[in-house]
Amino acid sequence: MALTFWHSTLGKKIVMGTTGLIMIGYLCAHLLGNMKIFFGPGEFNAYGHWLRVMGAPVLHHEWGLWIARLVLLAAVVLHAVSAYQLSRRDIKARPQKYVHTKPRMSYATRTMRWGGVILGLFIVWHILDLTTGTTHSGGFQEGHPYQNVVDTFSTWYGNAIYIVAMLAMGMHVRHGFWSAAQTLGAGNRTRDRGLKAIANALAIVLTAGFISIPVGVMTGVVS
Amino acid sequence: MKLTLRVWRQKNPDTPGAMAVYELDGVSEDMSFLEMLDILNEELIVKGEEPVAFDHDCREGICGACSLVINGAAHGPERTTTCQLHMRSFQDGDTIDIEPWRASAFPVIKDLVVDRSAFDRVIQAGGYITAPTGAAPEAHATPVPKADAEFAFEHAECIGCGACVAACPNGAAMLFTSAKVNHLNVLPQGSPERETRVLDMVAQMDAEGFGGCTLAGECATACPKGIPLFSITAMNKEWLRATRKVKR
């Protein structure tokens, strides 16, 4: 059963759609949490601390966080492996290009593959920058996420990487959310306008919301 | 009309092909695209050259034999089959690029003719019903709800030409397969094999080397019969349902 699923192009696409929706759900929660940065270091750092005691007293210290991390890691890996295998297959299925070509697909649709690669690289950088602090610019302080965020967005490359990645994320979500609905069999004629509107709203809100953080640091609202 | 044609010429499946350029004069705008190619072939025969091979049969837009990617669009600029495309859709002095369907599951046999028997094998995998055949049954013997009948008819319009595969950036046969699955799965006559049909046809589609769906929507734009993109959504739903119902 699980193998029928994994070996079928439809099954792999369903895996991609489901994991994609999990990640969109996470992005929404992540954005809501991050918005606390506009209410000062006290509130933001307290939120960062709460993430570690999330689920207490049922869950041990950091267990809630690690469960979330494992679910997300599984989602990212399954999403990426399916995408890689399906893309390989797609390219093989159309080995010869047309002499007369015209791009007709939307920009978001055409950039799904490379946009996805950019997002994968961004996630690695983002974790090294603000979770482990490995590549952090100037003194990473464990337990002081507010200051760490301000440090990152005080560098030109921090802003550049982040803003480019968030634009790519918006595009990816725009085609991805609508596609996931079709792949999971939820779309039809009457729902289509609604689904497209939700996809566009998600893309715009997530992109604008996340970009507001480096813009906040640049303009001095967050400092 | 005077036209410059750039046509894909390929001697056989094993020889690499290339675009050949032909100048064609005296084309009437009332000619169909295939009649224009007939004129070209008559000129080539007179000159002692090999005529351009292309598929065609009914020339009424209902058989699904004609193909051709014209200026990068399957069946050309109008939403119809190549045989029902007329030269009035082009301008005097135009250069027209004519290429075969491109997909690894549709290998070129010669010039513009491709082997579409992969579609036949997808049909053989489940695109039929096992009801007893014979004389046509009385029309009201099996009642079908109006909405289901409309849904089935919409998908039954598929003529299996392969424009969806040709237009798809991934060479996927999702629109063709979904049209066939939806057409039969919604009807009472097709319900005994409802689950195995979708599982087997999708498995055969994959086995033929067609690509996967990325919801680019090119197939539905190219389809001369207007099979909607939501046909694929409906098949995904049927497939998901079938994987839950059938233990394999």
Side-chain angles (χ1 to χ4, degrees):
Chain A
M1 180 51 229
L3 277 180
T4 316
F5 226 84
W6 186 246
H7 286 151
S8 167
T9 53
L10 261 65
K12 275 208 181 82
K13 202 69 207 292
I14 289 165
V15 169
M16 276 188 79
T18 313
T19 51
L21 290 178
I22 291 171
M23 290 189 276
I24 290 177
Y26 166 74
L27 282 178
C28 294
H30 192 37
L31 176 65
L32 285 173
N34 281 4
M35 286 299 104
K36 290 195 163 54
I37 201 152
F38 291 105
F39 301 96
E43 189 160 342
F44 190 72
N45 290 347
Y47 160 67
H49 175 71
W50 172 79
L51 288 176
R52 272 145 192 85
V53 296
M54 192 165 46
V58 177
L59 297 176
H60 182 69
H61 183 69
E62 287 198 351
W63 275 28
L65 190 62
W66 275 104
I67 291 168
R69 282 172 177 169
L70 289 176
V71 170
L72 283 172
L73 182 69
V76 170
V77 169
L78 284 170
H79 196 79
V81 171
S82 311
Y84 174 75
Q85 293 182 350
L86 284 171
S87 298
R88 282 276 306 258
R89 190 190 164 88
D90 293 347
I91 292 161
K92 229 175 95 186
R94 172 57 89 65
Q96 192 156 7
K97 301 276 165 274
Y98 290 108
V99 173
H100 190 117
T101 52
K102 44 181 173 185
R104 282 181 299 177
M105 293 182 284
S106 73
Y107 189 75
T109 313
R110 274 184 285 138
T111 52
M112 282 308 270
R113 284 177 191 149
W114 285 110
V117 171
I118 289 172
L119 289 176
L121 293 172
F122 166 76
I123 292 168
V124 173
W125 173 78
H126 194 52
I127 290 171
L128 291 177
D129 181 39
L130 288 171
T131 307
T132 65
T134 318
T135 61
H136 193 72
S137 53
F140 181 79
Q141 300 172 62
E142 187 94 41
H144 294 87
Y146 188 92
Q147 189 54 43
N148 293 334
V149 169
V150 171
D151 286 348
T152 289
F153 294 131
S154 300
T155 61
W156 68 268
Y157 59 86
N159 288 319
I161 296 173
Y162 192 84
I163 290 172
V164 167
M166 287 308 102
L167 292 172
M169 182 274 293
M171 300 277 208
H172 207 76
V173 166
R174 183 175 182 244
H175 182 71
F177 177 81
W178 179 82
S179 287
Q182 309 307 319
T183 303
L184 297 171
N188 60 35
R189 266 199 195 96
T190 41
R191 281 187 206 154
D192 199 50
R193 283 179 64 155
L195 283 172
K196 283 209 167 103
I198 295 172
N200 287 336
L202 273 172
I204 290 169
V205 170
L206 288 173
T207 308
F210 282 116
I211 289 181
S212 73
I213 300 165
V215 170
V217 175
M218 278 189 267
T219 53
V221 176
V222 176
S223 60
Chain B
M1 292 169 85
K2 191 173 189 306
L3 298 169
T4 304
L5 303 173
R6 299 203 300 160
V7 185
W8 182 262
R9 301 302 309 261
Q10 186 171 344
K11 204 174 163 198
N12 56 47
D14 308 318
T15 316
M19 297 296 272
V21 182
Y22 302 101
E23 301 287 338
L24 192 61
D25 207 350
V27 175
S28 157
E29 60 182 18
D30 295 327
M31 283 177 183
S32 77
F33 200 84
L34 296 185
E35 283 166 342
M36 182 276 291
L37 286 179
D38 291 338
I39 302 289
L40 171 70
N41 276 347
E42 282 171 13
E43 283 190 10
L44 290 177
I45 291 166
V46 168
K47 280 194 246 171
E49 291 179 39
E50 183 79 6
V52 178
F54 60 90
D55 268 325
H56 62 103
D57 191 17
C58 76
R59 299 204 178 196
E60 288 179 336
I62 54 169
C63 78
C66 62
S67 54
L68 310 186
V69 169
I70 301 159
N71 285 343
H75 290 302
E78 308 284 337
R79 185 165 205 165
T80 184
T81 52
T82 297
C83 62
Q84 290 293 301
L85 173 68
H86 290 83
M87 296 316 292
R88 53 181 165 267
S89 300
F90 299 90
Q91 301 286 321
D92 185 34
D94 271 2
T95 298
I96 305 175
D97 289 331
I98 310 170
E99 297 171 77
W101 283 173
R102 293 283 186 213
S104 59
F106 285 169
V108 172
I109 297 172
K110 185 181 181 181
D111 297 338
L112 302 169
V113 178
V114 298
D115 180 1
R116 282 174 280 188
S117 51
F119 268 12
D120 298 340
R121 292 187 289 274
V122 172
I123 291 290
Q124 282 163 14
Y128 52 81
I129 60 166
T130 48
T133 53
E138 202 274 315
H140 295 297
T142 313
V144 179
K146 169 83 168 145
D148 291 354
E150 294 285 357
F151 184 83
F153 270 129
E154 186 176 28
H155 292 95
E157 275 197 70
C158 171
I159 52 175
C161 63
C164 45
V165 176
C168 177
N170 313 319
M174 289 287 279
L175 197 68
F176 165 77
T177 310
S178 65
K180 301 302 177 189
V181 165
N182 293 330
H183 161 209
L184 296 175
N185 271 22
V186 74
L187 294 173
Q189 291 88 342
S191 62
E193 298 97 8
R194 184 174 168 185
E195 291 84 20
T196 52
R197 174 177 301 113
V198 62
L199 292 175
D200 292 343
M201 288 179 80
V202 167
Q204 188 62 38
M205 175 187 90
D206 284 349
E208 295 294 343
F210 290 110
C213 184
T214 50
L215 276 310
E218 295 285 321
C219 53
T221 308
C223 179
K225 295 296 161 184
I227 307 291
L229 189 59
F230 303 116
S231 181
I232 292 175
T233 314
M235 178 170 75
N236 288 336
K237 199 173 173 182
E238 281 293 309
W239 191 85
L240 256 176
R241 181 183 168 279
T243 52
R244 284 197 302 268
K245 293 235 168 194
V246 180
K247 294 271 166 277
R248 293 207 165 174

